[in-house]
Amino acid sequence: MEALSPRPLIGLTLEGLREVAASVGLKPFAAKQMAAWLYQRGVTSVDEMTDLSKVARERLKADGWTVGREAPKTEAVSSDGTAKYLFEGAGGRDVEAVFIPDRDRATLCVSSQAGCKMRCAFCMTGRQGFHGNLSVAQIINQVLSVPRSADLTNIVFMGMGEPTDNLPAVLAAIEILTAPWGMGWSPKRITVSTIGNLPGLRTLLDTTRVHIAISVHSPFAEERAGIMLVERAWPVRDVAELLRGYDFAHQRRLSVEYIMWRGFNDDMRHADALARLFRGTSARVNLIRFHAIPGVEMQPAAKAVMEAFRDRLNEAGVTATIRASRGEDIDAACGMLAGKERPVGQSDT
């Protein structure tokens, strides 16, 4: 008899766990018991779920169910303490997650896709093409399986891929992270970054309370379209107009990600247009130094220019800060994640 392929329990919502419980003859309340073992106690095997009967555990295993935790394949640690982890991905590409310690905070930058369809000119992930969506299990595994998982205070969906392009999996992951039966996090500890996919962004805004980060990088349509093809489908002006319809003044935060390049988008004309674009949205602008990647000739803006740009935005009533660069020496900084191509013949599991 052919063995069943392993089926991970992590990544299942309470509804999914109820279906699993029913399939092995357990009462519906067993779903909450399994959820607690998976998401709160961090078990790595079905046998550790000791408040399920031995018979039930054996049935789960016989049906191919496993916890589904997978340790990272590799670890690289930066001189600043940032750590990058390689995980199983999709379509022959592995994915990366980045752990960023900062005083009393510990943030994990997670991936949602192997590669990306958006093809932004300045991003290593986008330049490698799209290889596949990560499953909910693969997304949650990054959170549960990094070595310092217990220390995490924040999650940012800013790793490989466009989160709104794999929205069902991202929404399920957010549910697991925030539900009382799951990890019980406040939505205020989670930020989802997007290039401005309007339908996906609207769904994210309407169905969650997580923070939102919008990748802009130029306030001018033609200029932005030259580096971000998404501008042709969903103009940033339409994105800003949508955001004006939501309340970001209290529990939810809106941030604008703005990479700065020398002589391209770093003058006062850009600062003034950016301020006009997001005035009235309570957006906070994060100015980001460009990290050089192969095949891209653009250069980072000078520090003094970035400071003047920040000051101009602040004077215009738009809060702006310069984000500290982390993990550049291990290719873990913004725009540098590329994963790893696996040898021909090595399949996904």
Side-chain angles (χ1 to χ4, degrees), residues 18-80:
R18 286 194 184 108
E19 293 174 1
V20 173
S23 74
V24 295
L26 291 171
K27 300 292 186 183
F29 67 81
K32 282 191 175 181
Q33 292 175 303
M34 287 191 282
W37 286 112
L38 295 169
Y39 304 127
Q40 296 165 20
R41 299 172 186 168
V43 298
T44 58
S45 74
V46 170
D47 287 326
E48 294 175 79
M49 299 181 181
T50 53
D51 56 0
L52 302 182
S53 70
K54 185 173 178 18
V55 170
R57 283 178 273 154
E58 292 302 323
R59 285 178 181 169
L60 284 169
K61 292 189 291 183
D63 285 355
W65 292 106
T66 67
V67 168
R69 291 271 298 274
E70 294 184 7
K73 297 180 175 184
T74 63
E75 175 186 33
V77 181
S78 167
S79 58
D80 64 23

Side-chain angles (χ1 to χ4, degrees), residues 82-86 93-100 109-116 122-128 142 156-161 291 293 326-327 330-340:
T82 299
K84 182 173 72 170
Y85 299 96
L86 189 73
R93 285 274 184 174
D94 293 326
V95 297
E96 293 171 328
V98 180
F99 176 83
I100 309 165
C109 178
V110 300
S111 293
S112 56
Q113 296 179 307
C116 185
F122 50 85
C123 176
M124 279 289 288
T125 304
R127 292 173 72 85
Q128 74 172 233
Q142 295 170 67
V156 293
F157 285 82
M158 294 183 181
M160 299 175 66
H291 304 101
I293 61 173
R326 300 291 300 271
I330 57 168
D331 293 339
C334 181
M336 301 182 79
L337 299 185
K340 181 180 178 182

Side-chain angles (χ1 to χ4, degrees), residues 174-295:
I174 291 170
E175 182 180 357
I176 290 166
L177 288 166
T178 58
W181 52 260
M183 297 180 70
W185 282 33
S186 165
K188 292 186 292 183
R189 297 170 63 183
I190 301 168
T191 300
V192 177
S193 177
T194 174
I195 41 74
N197 171 336
L198 279 174
L201 176 58
R202 185 179 288 108
T203 299
L204 191 64
L205 287 163
D206 289 340
T207 60
T208 77
R209 297 297 301 165
V210 299
H211 299 317
I212 303 295
I214 302 294
S215 296
V216 177
H217 314 312
S218 174
F220 300 119
E222 287 304 312
E223 189 174 86
R224 186 172 188 256
I227 57 171
M228 301 178 70
L229 298 179
V230 69
E231 175 67 23
R232 302 292 187 194
W234 297 299
V236 70
R237 288 192 176 278
D238 292 347
V239 174
E241 189 60 33
L242 171 68
L243 294 169
R244 283 193 182 88
Y246 292 84
D247 180 13
F248 292 99
H250 299 98
Q251 296 299 309
R252 173 178 260 173
R253 185 175 65 244
L254 171 66
S255 57
V256 170
E257 310 294 297
Y258 193 89
I259 297 174
M260 294 188 66
W261 293 280
R262 183 181 306 166
F264 177 75
N265 66 345
D266 62 348
D267 58 30
M268 295 303 106
R269 181 175 66 98
H270 286 83
D272 293 341
L274 188 63
R276 288 193 299 271
L277 186 60
F278 286 97
R279 187 172 290 131
T281 63
S282 302
R284 181 189 189 95
V285 177
N286 292 320
L287 302 177
I288 304 167
R289 183 172 65 85
F290 175 60
H291 304 101
I293 61 173

